């Protein structure tokens, strides 16, 4: 199993939030803990300052030898009218990723989300597939592309249609209301179809800030259950997340490291137990460009993935 971390949410507000020394310390903690794979937080593609900040984090991580996933995601509102503008920004970002040696490129996050009233696309699956095909012309043929499965309401559609020419599938999965059995069921259903082309781009106990157990040792126990199960399945999985976004209400609830730089108990589960079987990102024999998409459903204040 390759264990990775989501990282960089603290800079989504823009370059002013980027602290090079803090990023360097965080990356050292992760690397010393055996982590070699990072999925960098996705900025709104239309928010240049946020995109620039995540680029800075990505370059720092690449220099330290991490295998880096980077990309951009949708603006606050995405519909048929501004889709082409978004697609153009994604293609520009893919070119930057290629030039900088990013290992995997993400086309976006939760672009087919039916839970989000701000995303109103006609045939989102078709649009994203077309965009992925066009990016193949931007990146070198040696780099591969991938695509991620949709949230529950489109899961069956992707399973029925298949992934086509795309190489891998990424999925954000938390289970329903922290239900471990549901967590396993969601992943198994997709794994049965997509086999080793499936990886988990985000996982944790719950995707609702307020639904976490207050006792951090209880969280550690529940996280360990999922970690052990993912290891047994030999699934590449990126934990969400290492450092939180201070601009979001409760944004640090997911975080493995607190604002005061102390680690939460579940760091013992996720760090120093990893043998991903690969060299550091800078030593990898191949580079991969991954076109990624993930999804979830939110019902009122409860999030189900």
């Amino acid at each position: 199993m390759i264990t990775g971390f989501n990282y960089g949410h603290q800079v989504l507000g823009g370059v002013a939030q980027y602290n090079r020394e803090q990023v360097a310390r965080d990356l050292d903690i992760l690397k010393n803990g055996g982590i070699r794979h990072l999925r960098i937080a996705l900025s709104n593609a239309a928010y240049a300052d946020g995109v620039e900040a995540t680029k800075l984090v990505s370059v720092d991580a690449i220099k330290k030898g991490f295998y880096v996933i980077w990309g951009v995601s949708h603006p606050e509102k995405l519909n048929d009218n501004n889709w082409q503008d978004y697609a153009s920004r994604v293609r520009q970002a893919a070119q930057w990723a290629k030039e900088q040696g990013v290992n995997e490129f993400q086309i976006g996050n939760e672009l087919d989300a039916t839970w989000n009233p701000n995303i109103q696309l006609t045939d989102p699956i078709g649009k994203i597939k077309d965009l992925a095909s066009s990016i193949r012309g931007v990146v070198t043929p040696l780099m591969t592309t991938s695509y991620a499965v949709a949230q529950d309401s489109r899961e069956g559609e992707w399973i029925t249609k298949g992934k086509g020419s795309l190489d891998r599938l990424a999925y954000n999965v938390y289970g329903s209301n922290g239900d471990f059995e549901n967590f396993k069921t969601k992943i198994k259903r997709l794994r049965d179809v997509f086999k080793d082309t499936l990886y988990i781009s985000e996982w944790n106990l719950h995707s609702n800030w307020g639904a976490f157990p207050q006792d951090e040792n209880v969280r550690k126990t529940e996280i360990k259950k999922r970690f052990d199960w993912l290891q047994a399945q030999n699934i590449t999985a990126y934990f969400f997340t290492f450092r939180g976004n201070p601009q979001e209400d409760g944004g640090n609830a997911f975080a493995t490291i607190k604002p005061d730089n102390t680690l939460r108990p579940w760091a013992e589960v996720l760090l120093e137990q990893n043998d991903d079987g690969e060299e550091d990102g800078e030593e990898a024999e191949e580079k991969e460009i991954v076109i990624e998409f993930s999804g979830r459903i939110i019902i009122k204040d409860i999030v189900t993935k």
Side-chain angles (χ1 to χ4, degrees):
M1 172 187 175
I2 294 174
T3 297
F5 262 90
N6 282 267
Y7 181 70
H9 294 81
Q10 74 273 17
V11 306
L12 288 176
V15 174
Q17 292 185 332
Y18 168 74
N19 181 324
R20 186 180 297 277
E21 290 73 24
Q22 180 190 68
V23 171
R25 287 195 303 269
D26 288 351
L27 295 180
D28 285 343
I29 291 170
L30 286 162
K31 196 165 188 179
N32 290 338
I35 300 298
R36 296 293 183 271
H37 290 67
L38 298 178
R39 178 181 183 249
I40 306 302
L42 287 81
S43 173
N44 173 343
Y47 180 44
D49 200 37
V51 173
E52 182 61 27
T54 64
K55 285 181 177 180
L56 292 171
V57 173
S58 296
V59 170
D60 288 346
I62 291 169
K63 288 180 177 178
K64 281 187 175 287
F66 284 92
Y67 184 96
V68 172
I69 302 175
W70 176 85
V72 294
S73 196
H74 59 82
E76 182 177 354
K77 293 186 177 181
L78 184 63
N79 52 50
D80 292 348
N81 294 327
N82 65 351
W83 171 259
Q84 288 305 323
D85 177 72
Y86 173 69
S88 176
R89 294 177 188 276
V90 170
R91 284 189 283 268
Q92 291 172 18
Q95 184 64 43
W96 181 87
K98 171 190 170 184
E99 293 169 355
Q100 297 300 317
V102 168
N103 300 91
E104 301 186 15
F105 176 74
Q106 303 172 88
I107 199 172
N109 187 60
E110 302 176 358
L111 295 179
D112 72 342
T114 57
W115 61 265
N116 189 344
N118 289 323
I119 298 180
Q120 297 292 330
L121 293 172
T122 303
D123 186 21
I125 291 175
K127 282 182 169 61
I128 299 166
K129 280 188 170 182
D130 288 345
L131 177 54
S133 296
S134 74
I135 291 175
R136 282 191 179 276
V138 173
V139 300
T140 138
L142 295 176
M143 298 181 180
T144 60
T145 58
S146 88
Y147 193 71
V149 296
Q151 78 275 10
D152 288 351
S153 59
R154 298 194 195 276
E155 226 171 58
E157 187 176 351
W158 279 105
I159 288 173
T160 299
K161 292 181 176 180
K163 63 186 180 64
S165 63
L166 300 168
D167 299 307
R168 293 206 296 166
L169 304 159
Y171 191 47
N172 292 353
V173 57
Y174 295 78
S176 294
N177 304 325
D179 183 340
F180 182 34
E181 292 305 314
N182 184 269
F183 176 91
K184 293 188 288 187
T185 298
K186 286 171 177 287
I187 295 173
K188 284 179 179 178
R189 183 185 182 199
L190 298 169
R191 192 80 183 281
D192 286 347
V193 175
F194 297 111
K195 311 301 182 185
D196 290 338
T197 65
L198 175 72
Y199 77 93
I200 308 305
S201 40
E202 293 179 20
W203 71 276
N204 203 313
L205 302 185
H206 206 298
S207 49
N208 175 21
W209 307 123
F212 277 71
Q214 293 301 305
D215 187 326
E216 292 186 348
N217 286 307
V218 172
R219 297 186 204 177
K220 174 185 175 181
T221 298
E222 292 300 318
I223 286 170
K224 188 176 188 307
K225 286 181 185 178
R226 289 154 178 78
F227 179 78
D228 290 346
W229 184 82
L230 288 166
Q231 279 201 316
Q233 304 303 308
N234 196 29
I235 297 176
T236 296
Y238 290 77
F239 185 77
F240 189 90
T241 186
F242 188 71
R243 187 177 289 277
N245 182 351
Q247 291 188 319
E248 293 180 346
D249 181 29
N252 285 301
F254 278 130
T256 302
I257 193 167
K258 298 178 184 180
D260 65 3
N261 295 319
T262 58
L263 292 170
R264 289 194 161 100
W266 57 85
E268 296 176 9
V269 175
L270 301 168
L271 302 177
E272 299 181 355
Q273 296 192 33
N274 300 290
D275 180 11
D276 60 24
E278 295 186 18
E279 298 298 324
D280 294 354
E282 64 183 4
E283 299 174 358
E285 293 183 359
E286 295 185 4
K287 294 289 186 184
E288 270 191 308
I289 291 296
V290 170
I291 312 303
E292 179 178 309
F293 163 74
S294 307
R296 64 180 176 185
I297 295 173
I298 293 183
I299 303 173
K300 293 184 179 178
D301 63 336
I302 297 194
V303 185
T304 307
K305 290 197 178 182

